[in-house]
Amino acid sequence: MLYLNDDIAGFDFEAALPLLSEQRREQALKFKHEQGRKTCAAAYLLLCEGLRKEYGITEKPVFEYGKHGKPFMIGHPEIHFNMSHCREAAVCVISNRPVGVDVESIREYKDSLVRYTMNEAEIALITQSPRPEETFTRLWTMKEAVLKLSGEGLRNDMKTVLTGRERIETVVNTERGYVYSVVG
């Protein structure tokens, strides 16, 4: 199940602080800017909401991390989740099998980044698109969601991440300025 908060401007970080685990509170407070603190807290609270609704779990989840930083919940190895956040939104996906999610702001892209991270077919899609910044962001979130699913994390060869066999759901919200992709 997917949980999304794209009203970050209306998110009350101070009210959220007591709802966070100590671990997540420390993580949120490490962000230099308020926006990052808000989205970090919002993603965690989406996880808490999903755990309550789907599993009846009311305790604050505490994480351990895999080799490349993918979080998993202590005491609940049967529950898989993934979280992501950007300036405009926080998202969390929860499942009974491994999942990956990424959300990114739609913003102007750099040609050097496109050429470094995209293969020739993807570059063609981007450059021929009427909205190249959206197409780039869509492809980027797809790649990152796939890597987060595997727990692999970002890697040097981003060009070969998408094989065409993945089942990826992508939503482009041009009005709010973000794209998210879910795989799993």
Side-chain angles (χ1 to χ4, degrees):
M1 184 67 80
L2 179 95
Y3 296 87
L4 173 74
N5 180 343
D6 62 2
D7 181 21
I8 302 304
F11 184 82
D12 186 344
F13 180 69
E14 293 303 319
L17 276 174
L19 304 174
L20 306 178
S21 69
E22 182 178 330
Q23 178 190 50
R24 191 64 173 195
R25 188 172 27 255
E26 287 175 12
Q27 189 177 13
L29 290 170
K30 286 180 183 177
F31 282 86
K32 183 177 179 179
H33 299 288
E34 180 183 22
Q35 192 75 12
R37 291 190 291 269
K38 282 182 167 187
T39 56
C40 179
Y44 181 84
L45 292 181
L46 291 171
L47 173 64
C48 292
E49 176 186 353
L51 292 173
R52 189 174 54 257
K53 286 181 177 177
E54 294 180 41
Y55 297 94
I57 296 172
T58 57
E59 69 259 16
K60 298 172 185 175
V62 177
F63 309 139
E64 287 200 16
Y65 296 88
K67 180 179 176 184
H68 297 286
K70 184 173 183 171
F72 60 92
M73 279 190 306
I74 296 173
H76 294 284
E78 75 284 5
I79 301 173
H80 300 269
F81 72 96
N82 205 228
M83 300 179 293
S84 184
H85 50 86
C86 66
R87 288 189 60 77
E88 294 76 19
V91 65
C92 176
V93 64
I94 302 171
S95 180
N96 60 358
R97 62 182 192 267
V99 291
V101 65
D102 186 46
V103 62
E104 298 289 338
S105 304
I106 299 170
R107 58 182 176 267
E108 190 176 334
Y109 69 91
K110 293 184 167 72
D111 189 61
S112 59
L113 182 60
V114 169
R115 300 214 174 275
Y116 182 72
T117 60
M118 303 290 159
N119 63 41
E120 292 304 317
E122 294 162 345
I123 291 170
L125 280 173
I126 294 165
T127 57
Q128 294 168 12
S129 170
R131 293 190 177 102
E133 64 285 347
E134 281 182 20
T135 303
F136 170 76
T137 306
R138 182 175 53 81
L139 288 166
W140 179 265
T141 63
M142 292 168 68
K143 289 178 182 231
E144 196 163 337
V146 167
L147 293 171
K148 290 174 77 176
L149 166 75
S150 71
E152 197 175 340
L154 295 179
R155 62 186 197 195
N156 288 333
D157 181 15
M158 294 295 289
K159 294 179 181 186
T160 62
V161 172
L162 300 177
T163 65
R165 295 186 305 270
E166 303 88 0
R167 292 187 41 156
I168 304 171
E169 177 188 339
T170 300
V171 173
V172 178
N173 189 324
T174 52
E175 183 180 310
R176 297 243 182 192
Y178 65 85
V179 177
Y180 70 80
S181 292
V182 180
V183 64

